[in-house]
Amino acid sequence: MTGVPWMPVSAFDALNWLGLLAFALAGALDGADNDLDVLGVAVLGVVTALGGGITRDLLVDRTPVALTATADVLVVLAGVLVAVFLVRNGRRISTDSLAVQIPDAVGLSAFAATGAIVAWDSGLSAFGVLVCAMLTGTGGGAIRDLLVGRTPGILVEDFYATCALAGATAFWLLRSAGAPRPTGVAACVGIAFVLRALAIRYDWHLPTVG
Amino acid sequence: MTGVPWMPVSAFDALNWLGLLAFALAGALDGADNDLDVLGVAVLGVVTALGGGITRDLLVDRTPVALTATADVLVVLAGVLVAVFLVRNGRRISTDSLAVQIPDAVGLSAFAATGAIVAWDSGLSAFGVLVCAMLTGTGGGAIRDLLVGRTPGILVEDFYATCALAGATAFWLLRSAGAPRPTGVAACVGIAFVLRALAIRYDWHLPTVG
Amino acid sequence: MTGVPWMPVSAFDALNWLGLLAFALAGALDGADNDLDVLGVAVLGVVTALGGGITRDLLVDRTPVALTATADVLVVLAGVLVAVFLVRNGRRISTDSLAVQIPDAVGLSAFAATGAIVAWDSGLSAFGVLVCAMLTGTGGGAIRDLLVGRTPGILVEDFYATCALAGATAFWLLRSAGAPRPTGVAACVGIAFVLRALAIRYDWHLPTVG
C-alpha cells in the first residue's frame, strides 16, 4: 500500500501506516479476547491489517504487495507487539476507545483511497472501484470476524463500510470528471474520515430493511 | 458472464441474467431474514449473485468480469431492489417458493455452463472443469452462508451442486469427444436444469455417509 | 505440488502424496462426523488436501496446479474413498490416532516446503515465504474448519502451524545464505516434521497471551 510515487512519504504513506498500526492492534486485541494462542493473536492482527489489501490485489490479478514489500509488514508486527504488551500488562485499552477508533478511522479512509486508486489504475468499472475501496478498507476486519466465528460487523451493525463507499464514490466522480489523482485521493480520505468521525461521535447506524 | 460471442443475447445471456436476478433476490431476502442492515442486505445479494463467478475468475487467474462489465451488475442491483421493496411492503414471497426456485434453477444451470466454458478455455483438467462449474453455480450461495454463520447448504442438505456437476460432466465428455461448444452448453444447461427441477419436485436429497 | 524437477519422484513427491492422502482422509472423516452428505464429505476431503496449495497459487498469481494436473487429484480422491469405506464399515480409525497423525505430519512438512519453494521462486519477501509455507501446510484445514463452523484449530489450540513456520524460516535462511534448493527443502521438511512429532508426543500447545 506504499510506494505511490506522486506524494511524499510523509503524507499518504503516514496515513496508511497509522491505519495498519491501528488495524493490527485492534485485530490482535480481538484475538486475545477470544482466547487464541500467541500465533492466533499474531495471525488475527496480520489478517486484520493486511487481509483487505491482499483480497484487493487478488481481484486485480497481481501478487499482493504485502508479500513482496517489507515496510508495511514491520508496521503491522509493531501493532501486534503493542497489543501483546498491553494484554500481558493488564490492558488499559479497549477497541472501543478513541485511542483505537480514531487511528482506525484514519486507516479506513486511507485504505479506501488506496483501493480506489488500484481499481481505477486497473481499469475497473465504477462498481469495481467501490468494491475494491470497500474491501481494502473493511475486508481484513471481515475475515477476522469470520475466523473467530462472527458475522462480519460491517453487515449488521455499523456505519463503517458506508464511509469507504462514500469516499470512493467521490474519488470516482472526480476522476471521471478529469480531476487529477491527488484531488480524488484527498476527497476520498476527507469524506470517509469525516463521515466515520461523525458516526463514532453520534453513534450512527444503518437502518435494517424490515 | 455475458459476452459469449457465439450465441445471440436473447438465449444464453437471458438465462444468465434470470439467474443473476434470482440469486440476488434470494441473497438479499436472506440478508433481511438475518436482520442485516441495508448495506448488509445489498452485500449479501451481490455476493450471492456474483461471488461464484468472481471465485472462478480468481482460479483461472483473470480480473473478475463482474468488476469490469456493467450489465450483470445492473441486473444484480435490480434483484436487490426488488427484495428490499418486497420486504418493506410485507413480503409475500418465500425463498422456497417456486417463483424463486425455478429462476434459481435456471441460474444454477447457466452458471454451471459458464464455469465449464471458462475452465475449458483456460485449459484446466476435467477436475478443474467440475470445480469451476460447481463454484460458479454454488460458490456465491456458499459464501453467503458463511457470512451469516451457517455451514454452506450445499454440503449438508440438498441435491443442488450435484446438478451442476452432472451438467459439467456432460459438457466435458461432449467437448472431449469433439462436440462443438453450443452442444456442450445445451447439454450442460439441460441436464443441470432437469435434475434440479426433479430434485425440487420430488424433494431429493443426497444421502449421508454414515 | 508435484513436478519439482530436481528430485526423483520417489522422494519429495512421495512425501507430498502421503500428505495429500492423509489430509483428504482426515478431512473426509471430519465431514462424516459433522453429518455432511456424500458430496459434502468429498468436498471437505478435497478442500482439506488441496485448499492450502490453491490459496498459495492464488497469492503468487498463477492458475492452481490442482486444477491442471491430475496425479494429485487422484491421490486425494483415493483418500476420500478410503474415508467413505471406513465410515461405512464401522470406522475403527480416529483422526487423533497415530495412523492419521504421522502421515498428516509428513504432509504438513512437505507442503510447507512446497509453499516455501513457490514463494521463493516468485520473488516474495521473507514474510511472503512464511505466509505461503504456512498457508500451503495449514490453509486447507483452516478452510475446512470454517466450512463446518469452527474457528480454525491452528489459531486456538495446537502446535501445528508453528512447525511449518520454523521449517520455512530455516529454508529462507539457508537459501538467503546461498544454499542450494535441496538443502533448504531437506532442512524445512526435517525441522517441521521433528517439531510436529515432538508436539504430538509431548502434547505441546502454544500459550495464550493473557
Side-chain angles (χ1 to χ4, degrees), chain C residues 14-27:
Chain C
L15 297 182
N16 254 307
W17 287 334
L18 184 57
L20 286 171
L21 197 68
F23 278 36
L25 177 65

Side-chain angles (χ1 to χ4, degrees), chain A residues 82-169:
Chain A
V82 170
V84 170
F85 177 84
L86 288 171
V87 171
R88 283 206 170 271
N89 292 274
R91 162 160 66 115
R92 293 277 184 285
I93 191 170
S94 155
T95 54
D96 287 335
S97 73
L98 288 185
V100 173
Q101 290 278 303
I102 298 296
D104 182 275
V106 170
L108 173 67
S109 312
F111 287 16
T114 311
I117 292 170
V118 172
W120 179 272
D121 290 350
S122 301
L124 301 193
S125 64
F127 178 73
V129 170
L130 293 181
V131 166
C132 283
M134 185 172 118
L135 275 178
T136 308
T138 70
I143 299 173
R144 174 186 77 184
D145 287 336
L146 290 176
L147 288 175
V148 296
R150 291 189 302 246
T151 292
I154 56 162
L155 300 181
V156 282
E157 64 183 34
D158 222 332
F159 196 90
Y160 191 87
T162 313
C163 310
L165 291 175
T169 302

Side-chain angles (χ1 to χ4, degrees), chain C residues 37-149:
Chain C
D37 61 31
V38 289
L39 178 72
V41 167
V43 167
L44 228 60
V46 169
V47 163
T48 304
L50 300 178
I54 289 176
T55 307
R56 173 207 63 214
D57 286 340
L58 290 180
L59 287 178
V60 300
D61 201 17
R62 68 180 195 186
T63 297
V65 175
L67 301 185
T68 54
T70 55
D72 290 7
V73 173
L74 293 178
V75 173
V76 169
L77 293 181
V80 169
L81 288 176
V82 170
V84 170
F85 176 84
L86 288 171
V87 172
R88 283 206 170 271
N89 290 275
R91 161 160 67 113
R92 293 277 184 285
I93 191 170
S94 155
T95 54
D96 287 334
S97 73
L98 287 185
V100 174
Q101 291 279 303
I102 297 297
D104 181 276
V106 170
L108 172 68
S109 312
F111 287 16
T114 312
I117 292 170
V118 171
W120 179 273
D121 290 350
S122 300
L124 301 193
S125 64
F127 178 73
V129 170
L130 293 181
V131 166
C132 282
M134 184 170 120
L135 274 179
T136 307
T138 69
I143 299 174
R144 175 186 77 184
D145 287 336
L146 290 177
L147 287 176
V148 297

Side-chain angles (χ1 to χ4, degrees), chain B residues 2-90:
Chain B
T2 59
V4 183
W6 46 271
M7 222 181 217
V9 164
S10 53
F12 192 65
D13 281 0
L15 296 182
N16 253 308
W17 287 334
L18 185 58
L20 286 171
L21 197 67
F23 278 36
L25 177 65
L29 290 176
D30 193 19
D33 284 345
N34 280 277
D35 295 323
L36 304 188
D37 61 31
V38 289
L39 179 73
V41 166
V43 167
L44 228 60
V46 168
V47 162
T48 305
L50 300 178
I54 289 175
T55 306
R56 174 207 62 214
D57 286 340
L58 291 180
L59 287 178
V60 300
D61 202 17
R62 68 180 195 185
T63 298
V65 176
L67 300 185
T68 54
T70 56
D72 289 9
V73 173
L74 294 177
V75 173
V76 169
L77 293 182
V80 169
L81 289 177
V82 169
V84 170
F85 177 84
L86 288 171
V87 171
R88 282 206 171 271
N89 290 273

